[in-house]
Amino acid sequence: EVALGAEGQTLALGRLLAGAMGGARAGDCCLVRGAVGAGKSVFSRGLVRGLAGDADLAVTSPTYALVNVYDCPAPLPGAGGGGGGCVPAGLRLHHFDLYRLEGLPAERRALLGLREAMRSGAAVIEWPEYLAEGEAPAERLEVEFGVLPGAGGREGGDSGCRTAVLTGWGERWDRVLDELEVALAGLRDA
């Protein structure tokens, strides 16, 4: 579990994860969960910017568009999570927001190209609870955001503090999370 304060820390967590990944690879899938306002889009912005190698990239929430697509450079051989598996330059990173898909039949949801995106590119998926059963790949990273209650003077008792729990499914994600832990420890020790 990672404790996050200001929005900038949530953005930084996304960038640090991108660094630990060493770049996006075909088949990479990050499922991002949490309540409205928990930090999913901010984290996703940091992750997309980090993977695209552009700290100033305009990354908007795909809430209404459902998906935004970004180009990512090829990862360095053996970087981030080890194991090679590099892909050609120009890998497509698909940033999905499935919030508006509740109740949509699977055949209509298939028109988004989710399976193709995860097979030939990489995907960051907000609101993955709206995926059909079995639609998420077996090897994936899941990030769950929580909001800590508190006075803090913010509307609704939101303290502004968040937590993120990252869970990896598969060897690549185990290695990525080990590298992320080292990066986070370095920040705490600095």
Side-chain angles (χ1 to χ4, degrees), residues 36-37 40-42 44-45 59-68 70 95-102 112 124 126-127 130:
V36 172
K40 296 179 302 297
S41 292
V42 172
S44 296
R45 183 178 316 125
V59 177
T60 58
S61 174
T63 300
Y64 295 101
L66 301 180
V67 63
N68 292 331
Y70 304 92
H95 179 196
F96 290 94
D97 184 326
L98 305 182
Y99 184 72
R100 301 199 177 281
L101 299 187
E102 182 178 17
L112 280 175
V124 176
E126 296 183 44
W127 297 99
Y130 297 120

Short mmCIF file of all heavy atoms in Angstrom, two decimals, residues 36-37 40-42 44-45 59-68 70 95-102 112 124 126-127 130:
data_model
loop_
_atom_site.label_atom_id
_atom_site.label_comp_id
_atom_site.label_asym_id
_atom_site.label_seq_id
_atom_site.Cartn_x
_atom_site.Cartn_y
_atom_site.Cartn_z
N VAL A 36 -15.19 7.58 -7.72
CA VAL A 36 -15.08 8.86 -8.43
C VAL A 36 -14.23 9.80 -7.56
O VAL A 36 -14.46 9.92 -6.36
CB VAL A 36 -16.48 9.46 -8.69
CG1 VAL A 36 -16.36 10.88 -9.24
CG2 VAL A 36 -17.27 8.58 -9.64
N GLY A 37 -13.24 10.42 -8.16
CA GLY A 37 -12.39 11.37 -7.44
C GLY A 37 -11.26 10.75 -6.64
O GLY A 37 -10.54 11.44 -5.93
N LYS A 40 -7.82 8.00 -10.10
CA LYS A 40 -7.56 7.12 -11.25
C LYS A 40 -7.04 7.87 -12.47
O LYS A 40 -6.05 7.46 -13.07
CB LYS A 40 -8.86 6.37 -11.64
CG LYS A 40 -9.38 5.42 -10.60
CD LYS A 40 -10.66 4.74 -11.04
CE LYS A 40 -11.78 5.69 -11.39
NZ LYS A 40 -12.26 6.52 -10.29
N SER A 41 -7.70 8.95 -12.82
CA SER A 41 -7.29 9.70 -14.03
C SER A 41 -5.95 10.41 -13.84
O SER A 41 -5.16 10.48 -14.77
CB SER A 41 -8.37 10.71 -14.43
OG SER A 41 -9.52 10.02 -14.88
N VAL A 42 -5.69 10.89 -12.63
CA VAL A 42 -4.41 11.56 -12.36
C VAL A 42 -3.28 10.54 -12.45
O VAL A 42 -2.25 10.78 -13.10
CB VAL A 42 -4.43 12.24 -10.97
CG1 VAL A 42 -3.05 12.76 -10.59
CG2 VAL A 42 -5.46 13.37 -10.96
N SER A 44 -3.35 7.70 -14.09
CA SER A 44 -3.26 7.28 -15.49
C SER A 44 -2.51 8.31 -16.32
O SER A 44 -1.71 7.95 -17.20
CB SER A 44 -4.66 7.04 -16.07
OG SER A 44 -5.29 5.97 -15.40
N ARG A 45 -2.72 9.59 -16.05
CA ARG A 45 -2.00 10.66 -16.76
C ARG A 45 -0.49 10.52 -16.53
O ARG A 45 0.30 10.59 -17.47
CB ARG A 45 -2.49 12.03 -16.29
CG ARG A 45 -1.85 13.19 -17.03
CD ARG A 45 -2.38 14.56 -16.57
NE ARG A 45 -3.82 14.55 -16.43
CZ ARG A 45 -4.48 14.89 -15.31
NH1 ARG A 45 -3.81 15.30 -14.24
NH2 ARG A 45 -5.79 14.84 -15.28
N VAL A 59 -2.78 14.57 -21.69
CA VAL A 59 -3.48 13.31 -21.42
C VAL A 59 -4.78 13.67 -20.74
O VAL A 59 -4.79 14.17 -19.61
CB VAL A 59 -2.64 12.38 -20.52
CG1 VAL A 59 -3.40 11.10 -20.20
CG2 VAL A 59 -1.31 12.07 -21.18
N THR A 60 -5.88 13.44 -21.43
CA THR A 60 -7.18 13.76 -20.88
C THR A 60 -7.93 12.48 -20.53
O THR A 60 -7.65 11.42 -21.09
CB THR A 60 -8.03 14.57 -21.88
OG1 THR A 60 -8.16 13.82 -23.08
CG2 THR A 60 -7.36 15.90 -22.20
N SER A 61 -8.86 12.60 -19.62
CA SER A 61 -9.68 11.45 -19.26
C SER A 61 -10.57 11.08 -20.43
O SER A 61 -11.23 11.93 -21.01
CB SER A 61 -10.55 11.79 -18.04
OG SER A 61 -11.43 10.72 -17.79
N PRO A 62 -10.61 9.79 -20.78
CA PRO A 62 -11.47 9.37 -21.89
C PRO A 62 -12.91 9.06 -21.46
O PRO A 62 -13.57 8.23 -22.06
CB PRO A 62 -10.75 8.12 -22.40
CG PRO A 62 -10.08 7.56 -21.19
CD PRO A 62 -9.72 8.75 -20.34
N THR A 63 -13.40 9.75 -20.44
CA THR A 63 -14.73 9.48 -19.91
C THR A 63 -15.79 9.52 -21.00
O THR A 63 -16.66 8.65 -21.06
CB THR A 63 -15.09 10.47 -18.79
OG1 THR A 63 -14.13 10.32 -17.74
CG2 THR A 63 -16.47 10.22 -18.24
N TYR A 64 -15.75 10.51 -21.86
CA TYR A 64 -16.78 10.63 -22.91
C TYR A 64 -16.33 10.00 -24.21
O TYR A 64 -17.14 9.45 -24.95
CB TYR A 64 -17.16 12.10 -23.11
CG TYR A 64 -17.81 12.67 -21.87
CD1 TYR A 64 -17.09 13.45 -20.98
CD2 TYR A 64 -19.12 12.36 -21.56
CE1 TYR A 64 -17.67 13.94 -19.83
CE2 TYR A 64 -19.72 12.83 -20.41
CZ TYR A 64 -18.98 13.62 -19.54
OH TYR A 64 -19.56 14.09 -18.39
N ALA A 65 -15.03 10.04 -24.50
CA ALA A 65 -14.51 9.44 -25.74
C ALA A 65 -14.41 7.92 -25.61
O ALA A 65 -14.35 7.22 -26.60
CB ALA A 65 -13.14 10.01 -26.06
N LEU A 66 -14.37 7.40 -24.39
CA LEU A 66 -14.22 5.99 -24.02
C LEU A 66 -12.79 5.48 -24.18
O LEU A 66 -12.36 4.64 -23.41
CB LEU A 66 -15.19 5.08 -24.79
CG LEU A 66 -16.67 5.39 -24.60
CD1 LEU A 66 -17.51 4.41 -25.41
CD2 LEU A 66 -17.05 5.36 -23.13
N VAL A 67 -12.05 5.98 -25.18
CA VAL A 67 -10.66 5.56 -25.34
C VAL A 67 -9.86 6.68 -25.99
O VAL A 67 -10.35 7.35 -26.90
CB VAL A 67 -10.55 4.24 -26.16
CG1 VAL A 67 -11.07 4.41 -27.57
CG2 VAL A 67 -9.11 3.74 -26.17
N ASN A 68 -8.65 6.89 -25.48
CA ASN A 68 -7.66 7.77 -26.10
C ASN A 68 -6.45 6.90 -26.41
O ASN A 68 -6.11 5.99 -25.64
CB ASN A 68 -7.25 8.91 -25.17
CG ASN A 68 -8.37 9.91 -24.95
OD1 ASN A 68 -9.23 10.09 -25.80
ND2 ASN A 68 -8.38 10.54 -23.79
N TYR A 70 -2.30 6.67 -27.53
CA TYR A 70 -1.03 7.38 -27.52
C TYR A 70 0.05 6.47 -28.10
O TYR A 70 -0.01 5.26 -27.96
CB TYR A 70 -0.65 7.76 -26.08
CG TYR A 70 -1.71 8.57 -25.38
CD1 TYR A 70 -2.70 7.95 -24.62
CD2 TYR A 70 -1.74 9.95 -25.50
CE1 TYR A 70 -3.70 8.69 -24.00
CE2 TYR A 70 -2.73 10.70 -24.88
CZ TYR A 70 -3.71 10.06 -24.13
OH TYR A 70 -4.69 10.79 -23.52
N HIS A 95 -5.86 4.11 -23.60
CA HIS A 95 -6.34 4.51 -22.29
C HIS A 95 -7.87 4.49 -22.33
O HIS A 95 -8.50 5.35 -22.94
CB HIS A 95 -5.80 5.91 -21.96
CG HIS A 95 -6.26 6.45 -20.65
ND1 HIS A 95 -6.15 7.78 -20.34
CD2 HIS A 95 -6.81 5.86 -19.56
CE1 HIS A 95 -6.63 7.98 -19.13
NE2 HIS A 95 -7.04 6.83 -18.63
N PHE A 96 -8.44 3.47 -21.69
CA PHE A 96 -9.89 3.28 -21.69
C PHE A 96 -10.51 3.79 -20.40
O PHE A 96 -9.91 3.68 -19.33
CB PHE A 96 -10.24 1.78 -21.79
CG PHE A 96 -9.93 1.15 -23.11
CD1 PHE A 96 -8.72 0.50 -23.31
CD2 PHE A 96 -10.86 1.17 -24.14
CE1 PHE A 96 -8.44 -0.12 -24.52
CE2 PHE A 96 -10.58 0.56 -25.36
CZ PHE A 96 -9.36 -0.08 -25.54
N ASP A 97 -11.72 4.31 -20.48
CA ASP A 97 -12.54 4.62 -19.32
C ASP A 97 -13.89 3.95 -19.57
O ASP A 97 -14.64 4.35 -20.46
CB ASP A 97 -12.72 6.13 -19.16
CG ASP A 97 -13.49 6.50 -17.90
OD1 ASP A 97 -14.39 5.74 -17.50
OD2 ASP A 97 -13.21 7.56 -17.32
N LEU A 98 -14.18 2.90 -18.81
CA LEU A 98 -15.36 2.09 -19.07
C LEU A 98 -16.57 2.48 -18.22
O LEU A 98 -17.59 1.79 -18.24
CB LEU A 98 -15.02 0.60 -18.83
CG LEU A 98 -13.83 0.07 -19.61
CD1 LEU A 98 -13.63 -1.42 -19.33
CD2 LEU A 98 -13.97 0.33 -21.10
N TYR A 99 -16.48 3.61 -17.53
CA TYR A 99 -17.55 4.03 -16.61
C TYR A 99 -18.92 4.07 -17.28
O TYR A 99 -19.91 3.67 -16.70
CB TYR A 99 -17.20 5.40 -16.03
CG TYR A 99 -18.18 5.89 -15.00
CD1 TYR A 99 -18.23 5.30 -13.75
CD2 TYR A 99 -19.05 6.94 -15.28
CE1 TYR A 99 -19.13 5.75 -12.79
CE2 TYR A 99 -19.95 7.39 -14.33
CZ TYR A 99 -19.98 6.80 -13.09
OH TYR A 99 -20.87 7.24 -12.14
N ARG A 100 -18.97 4.51 -18.51
CA ARG A 100 -20.25 4.67 -19.21
C ARG A 100 -20.73 3.38 -19.89
O ARG A 100 -21.74 3.39 -20.58
CB ARG A 100 -20.15 5.78 -20.23
CG ARG A 100 -19.78 7.10 -19.57
CD ARG A 100 -20.09 8.29 -20.40
NE ARG A 100 -19.79 9.49 -19.68
CZ ARG A 100 -20.54 10.04 -18.73
NH1 ARG A 100 -21.66 9.51 -18.39
NH2 ARG A 100 -20.16 11.15 -18.13
N LEU A 101 -20.03 2.28 -19.68
CA LEU A 101 -20.40 1.03 -20.35
C LEU A 101 -21.28 0.12 -19.50
O LEU A 101 -21.65 -0.97 -19.95
CB LEU A 101 -19.16 0.26 -20.77
CG LEU A 101 -18.24 0.96 -21.75
CD1 LEU A 101 -17.14 0.01 -22.20
CD2 LEU A 101 -19.00 1.49 -22.95
N GLU A 102 -21.63 0.56 -18.30
CA GLU A 102 -22.46 -0.28 -17.44
C GLU A 102 -23.73 -0.70 -18.17
O GLU A 102 -24.43 0.11 -18.78
CB GLU A 102 -22.84 0.47 -16.16
CG GLU A 102 -23.65 -0.36 -15.22
CD GLU A 102 -24.01 0.36 -13.93
OE1 GLU A 102 -23.91 1.61 -13.90
OE2 GLU A 102 -24.38 -0.32 -12.98
N LEU A 112 -15.40 -1.51 -29.18
CA LEU A 112 -14.33 -0.64 -28.68
C LEU A 112 -12.95 -1.15 -29.08
O LEU A 112 -11.98 -0.40 -29.07
CB LEU A 112 -14.37 -0.54 -27.16
CG LEU A 112 -15.38 0.39 -26.55
CD1 LEU A 112 -15.36 0.27 -25.04
CD2 LEU A 112 -15.10 1.81 -26.96
N VAL A 124 -4.38 0.83 -20.48
CA VAL A 124 -4.66 1.32 -19.14
C VAL A 124 -6.19 1.43 -19.10
O VAL A 124 -6.78 2.11 -19.94
CB VAL A 124 -4.02 2.71 -18.88
CG1 VAL A 124 -4.42 3.25 -17.51
CG2 VAL A 124 -2.51 2.63 -19.03
N GLU A 126 -9.48 2.31 -16.84
CA GLU A 126 -10.18 2.80 -15.67
C GLU A 126 -11.58 2.18 -15.63
O GLU A 126 -12.18 1.95 -16.67
CB GLU A 126 -10.30 4.33 -15.72
CG GLU A 126 -8.96 5.05 -15.68
CD GLU A 126 -9.11 6.55 -15.66
OE1 GLU A 126 -9.98 7.06 -14.91
OE2 GLU A 126 -8.37 7.22 -16.40
N TRP A 127 -12.07 1.91 -14.44
CA TRP A 127 -13.37 1.27 -14.22
C TRP A 127 -13.42 -0.13 -14.84
O TRP A 127 -14.35 -0.49 -15.55
CB TRP A 127 -14.52 2.14 -14.75
CG TRP A 127 -14.64 3.45 -14.05
CD1 TRP A 127 -14.16 4.65 -14.51
CD2 TRP A 127 -15.22 3.71 -12.78
NE1 TRP A 127 -14.41 5.63 -13.59
CE2 TRP A 127 -15.08 5.09 -12.52
CE3 TRP A 127 -15.86 2.92 -11.85
CZ2 TRP A 127 -15.55 5.68 -11.35
CZ3 TRP A 127 -16.34 3.51 -10.68
CH2 TRP A 127 -16.17 4.87 -10.45
N TYR A 130 -16.40 -2.92 -15.21
CA TYR A 130 -17.37 -3.01 -16.31
C TYR A 130 -16.88 -3.89 -17.46
O TYR A 130 -17.54 -3.97 -18.49
CB TYR A 130 -17.77 -1.61 -16.80
CG TYR A 130 -18.47 -0.83 -15.71
CD1 TYR A 130 -17.96 0.37 -15.25
CD2 TYR A 130 -19.64 -1.32 -15.13
CE1 TYR A 130 -18.59 1.07 -14.23
CE2 TYR A 130 -20.27 -0.62 -14.10
CZ TYR A 130 -19.74 0.56 -13.66
OH TYR A 130 -20.37 1.25 -12.65
#
